[in-house]
Amino acid sequence: METEFVRWTEDGTEHSAVWRSTSGAAPPKKIRVADDSMTADEAYRLACEGTALLWRGDFHNARQLGTAVAARTDRKARKTSTDPATAFHLHRQTQSRRAGILGMLLVPFDADQTVPLRRAPDVRQAVLAAYGPTDQPTVTTLRDLLGAIGAHEWQKKGVEIPALGARIHPGYGVFSPIRGEYVDLVADTPLPSLATAFDIGTGTGVLAAVLAHRGVEKVIATELDANALACARANLDRLDYAGRVQVVETDLFPDGRAPLVVCNPPWIPARPTSPIEYAIYDPDSRMLRGFLAGLAEHLEPGGEGWLILSDIAEHLGLRTREELLTLIDDAGLTVLGRRDVAPRHGKAADRSDALHAARKREVTSLWRLGAQD
């Protein structure tokens, strides 16, 4: 990837630094140096006009300013619709606009990746995990930096997985398994075999670990994302399952067949706007379609494919149940059974959430699929 630079004038002198963005956003063209004298109203106005603010004041004041700008962004009148699909797309537009405005508050880094601001924390390990090594001065958004700090804390603390009796530690950019209902489905559904299983798109490796914990002798877990590959391997090493779980870099299926093939694809057929959203949003249901289309040829005779999928896309008007069943049938598959569970996450009961109407009806299912005779 070609290195991009951000350029600005400060005290009459031209400056530049390496631009870093986890979302792939282009460097801002207009930059103004700002400090603790900047008001939230002025910062919001400048951000809306497309002027980025390179912060030179107190770090904690920058965080407070970002919170104040976010509050002003959220107070803007939201367009609404009674049509679920339209409401979802309006919600995504609102999220995109919010991210764009908050992305106008910039933070500098020295060549050693320390933040040269008063009361700034030591973020070098979090930045290294998010962006990789560098020996040059850099600039990123405060929003990206706070995301990197939060992700690093998750990675250190980990997520307790009752089905494992242990913690899974999500790496930067790898979706955290905080929605335990889909893990519980895999932990509780009767296994067709203890010989071999494939875990397609393993992410943190949590489902591969659950299968190994249940006694599956050999698990092959696949991934394409470099962060997820490293994360899954680290988790499986930590849990002492590396001897039974092989993590393979490939798109969807490994070579061969298995009596059990498990996949938890992204649930919403829409375009992601950041790397971590690829665990949630799947343009045109690419991964879902690919898994279903290739499943039959990777199942041993009498084997089962477990598709773990929320039906929230149906409640958002983005996919119908009939379309899903058609994809299953067209792939030469038949439904052997289905287990359902209601979500337990906080947003399901949050009436202020823009997608509450869909979330309160959401069901997560484990579809047991077999090859047609």
Side-chain angles (χ1 to χ4, degrees):
M1 182 184 298
E2 183 178 351
T3 301
E4 294 187 289
F5 290 86
V6 59
R7 294 176 171 82
W8 71 96
T9 301
E10 188 171 359
D11 297 329
T13 303
E14 296 292 324
H15 295 266
S16 68
V18 172
W19 170 248
R20 300 179 117 178
S21 170
T22 57
S23 64
K29 298 185 182 302
K30 294 190 295 181
I31 296 179
R32 173 173 163 177
V33 175
D35 58 24
D36 301 327
S37 63
M38 174 71 65
T39 67
D41 285 337
E42 185 179 13
Y44 176 71
R45 177 182 61 80
L46 289 169
C48 290
E49 292 172 354
T51 298
L53 304 173
L54 180 63
W55 193 252
R56 292 299 190 189
D58 179 89
F59 182 81
H60 291 279
N61 288 347
R63 295 189 64 163
Q64 291 176 356
L65 182 68
T67 300
V69 170
R72 283 158 175 77
T73 305
D74 294 340
R75 281 201 299 265
K76 292 288 289 182
R78 295 180 181 177
K79 296 179 181 178
T80 59
S81 174
T82 56
D83 175 67
T86 302
F88 170 75
H89 291 301
L90 290 173
H91 169 66
R92 293 291 285 166
Q93 289 174 11
T94 299
Q95 286 183 315
S96 178
R97 180 177 181 274
R98 188 180 195 273
I101 291 174
L102 296 181
M104 288 295 176
L105 186 54
L106 312 181
V107 179
F109 296 81
D110 288 338
D112 63 356
Q113 296 307 285
T114 57
V115 179
L117 302 176
R118 293 190 308 277
R119 295 200 292 169
D122 184 349
V123 298
R124 286 174 292 179
Q125 290 301 313
V127 170
L128 178 65
Y131 300 105
T134 186
D135 57 1
Q136 301 181 68
T138 61
V139 169
T140 191
T141 70
L142 177 64
R143 187 172 187 265
D144 266 14
L145 175 57
L146 295 178
I149 293 171
H152 191 59
E153 290 302 313
W154 270 114
Q155 185 172 15
K156 289 191 297 182
K157 178 182 178 182
V159 179
E160 183 68 30
I161 307 296
L164 288 173
R167 289 181 175 271
I168 287 288
H169 297 259
Y172 182 81
V174 185
F175 197 72
S176 176
I178 54 176
R179 289 193 54 166
E181 63 267 16
Y182 78 92
V183 178
D184 291 343
L185 284 171
V186 174
D188 295 338
T189 300
L191 293 164
S193 168
L194 292 177
T196 306
F198 295 164
D199 175 24
I200 309 303
T202 195
T204 61
V206 62
L207 296 186
V210 168
L211 292 170
H213 184 73
R214 296 190 64 188
V216 177
E217 296 172 6
K218 180 181 179 181
V219 181
I220 300 177
T222 69
E223 254 299 341
L224 269 182
D225 180 78
N227 286 338
L229 286 164
C231 175
R233 287 169 178 150
N235 278 315
L236 292 162
D237 281 343
R238 188 180 296 108
L239 295 168
D240 200 26
Y241 290 135
R244 282 196 283 149
V245 183
Q246 179 185 7
V247 181
V248 176
E249 182 178 2
T250 190
D251 188 12
L252 295 177
F253 298 93
D255 294 334
R257 296 173 179 264
L260 175 62
V261 182
V262 177
C263 184
N264 175 34
W267 294 343
I268 301 179
R271 184 176 64 86
T273 58
S274 65
I276 199 164
E277 285 195 344
Y278 279 92
I280 307 169
Y281 298 101
D282 185 16
D284 195 34
S285 301
R286 174 200 168 274
M287 186 173 178
L288 172 63
R289 293 174 182 271
F291 171 71
L292 293 175
L295 178 59
E297 65 186 77
H298 287 91
L299 282 178
E300 289 185 357
E304 294 185 12
W306 289 0
L307 171 65
I308 300 97
L309 193 68
S310 159
D311 66 354
I312 192 169
E314 299 173 20
H315 302 305
L316 292 172
L318 304 177
R319 182 174 57 232
T320 66
R321 177 58 56 91
E322 289 71 25
E323 287 171 335
L324 175 61
L325 293 174
T326 297
L327 288 175
I328 292 171
D329 186 63
D330 288 349
L333 301 167
T334 187
V335 177
L336 304 174
R338 193 184 78 221
R339 299 187 63 218
D340 299 333
V341 63
R344 300 190 295 265
H345 59 87
K347 287 187 176 181
D350 182 4
R351 293 184 177 276
S352 67
D353 185 86
L355 305 181
H356 174 69
R359 295 192 196 278
K360 70 178 181 180
R361 300 164 59 198
E362 179 186 6
V363 171
T364 300
S365 300
L366 186 152
W367 295 79
R368 294 175 48 244
L369 306 175
Q372 295 176 1
D373 295 333

